[in-house]
Amino acid sequence: MAEGAILRVRHCGADIFCRRAPPRCPLCGRSLRGAGLPAAPVRLPSPFRQGHRQPRAFLLRPTAGSFLGGYDGKSDLHVGITSSDGVVYNYDEEGIHRADTGWEQCISVPLVQPDMFGLLQQWDALLEEFSVGEAWLPHRYEEQDHNCYTYALAFINSVLTAQGKREMSKSEFTEKFVIPHTKKASKYITLHQELTANDLYIVPLPDPEQQC
């Protein structure tokens, strides 16, 4: 399903989410023209990225389908690591894949800062060398204990170790880097689903900032 823009208009102490800004407030019926800056439509930034345009990143997507194409919040997720030119290295029961398609709508966590010049140059070689290790042969795959997340985190930790830094546990990496992104994605998916079914989605503000 194509991703449509989500707009937010604030009026009558509520956030009014829509695809097209209404000319009048659906709560009070007053014109939104000239209603002040809060009532101006604001486009919400999408939390999803074209994964093949995200160099040196940790990517997360549904194993089947897409986040905005019917994802229910419970289905399995798949992760991968991108090379400098957006090839997604990922591991499953068939072994290591180097994908240049299929990761067009992802959550992306950048892994390398622009000032890390040495790592920027070495990234592809490190990723390829790590990925041909025996640990990532098809028969080693186990759905619960030796999976795509195991592979991605093991690579990240190998880079940290080479830099003389402390390794991260799965729970630590997830809480620090993944959950902030998935929380934003979850809210956006809810809005997308609501606006697929209805023209407007109205959420009262806890402390009304704009009254009629």
Side-chain angles (χ1 to χ4, degrees):
M1 180 180 295
E3 179 183 347
I6 296 178
L7 305 178
R8 186 201 70 205
V9 174
R10 187 162 285 174
H11 203 253
C12 286
D15 279 337
I16 303 164
F17 297 98
C18 50
R19 299 291 190 191
R20 290 184 175 182
R24 296 182 177 277
C25 174
L27 296 172
C28 69
R30 294 183 184 178
S31 174
L32 292 174
R33 287 191 175 184
L37 189 59
V42 175
R43 178 170 179 162
L44 300 187
S46 173
F48 305 114
R49 299 290 178 266
Q50 216 290 15
H52 300 290
R53 297 176 184 168
Q54 307 297 313
R56 309 173 192 90
F58 173 96
L59 300 184
L60 181 72
R61 68 163 173 79
T63 301
S66 65
F67 281 116
L68 297 180
Y71 179 66
D72 60 6
K74 300 176 183 178
S75 303
D76 289 341
L77 297 172
H78 193 44
V79 305
I81 301 285
T82 54
S83 67
S84 60
D85 57 359
V87 174
V88 185
Y89 283 63
N90 59 101
Y91 177 61
D92 63 14
E93 63 273 10
E94 297 177 355
I96 294 293
H97 300 269
R98 298 163 181 81
D100 53 15
T101 61
W103 295 74
E104 287 76 21
Q105 190 186 95
C106 304
I107 292 171
S108 175
V109 181
L111 296 175
V112 183
Q113 301 300 318
D115 59 350
M116 297 179 176
F117 301 111
L119 190 53
L120 289 171
Q121 298 297 322
Q122 299 171 16
W123 186 263
D124 288 352
L126 292 172
L127 183 56
E128 180 63 31
E129 181 180 358
F130 179 83
S131 300
V132 297
E134 291 187 4
W136 315 117
L137 292 173
H139 71 275
R140 298 290 300 276
Y141 181 85
E142 294 177 5
E143 186 174 354
Q144 298 300 323
D145 300 319
H146 195 77
N147 52 33
C148 58
Y149 206 124
T150 311
Y151 161 78
L153 184 59
F155 172 71
I156 292 169
N157 278 329
S158 73
V159 172
L160 291 173
T161 300
Q163 294 180 308
K165 298 179 180 179
R166 181 179 61 84
E167 292 189 359
M168 301 183 73
S169 67
K170 179 178 180 180
S171 60
E172 183 182 7
F173 180 80
T174 301
E175 182 174 348
K176 186 174 182 179
F177 294 102
V178 179
I179 289 179
H181 290 273
T182 56
K183 283 184 176 179
K184 292 179 182 178
S186 179
K187 292 179 181 179
Y188 195 90
I189 290 170
T190 297
L191 293 174
H192 173 79
Q193 292 173 342
E194 290 289 342
L195 293 175
T196 298
N198 305 286
D199 291 335
L200 300 172
Y201 181 56
I202 300 173
V203 181
L205 293 170
D207 180 19
E209 299 179 18
Q210 174 78 13
Q211 297 294 337
C212 296

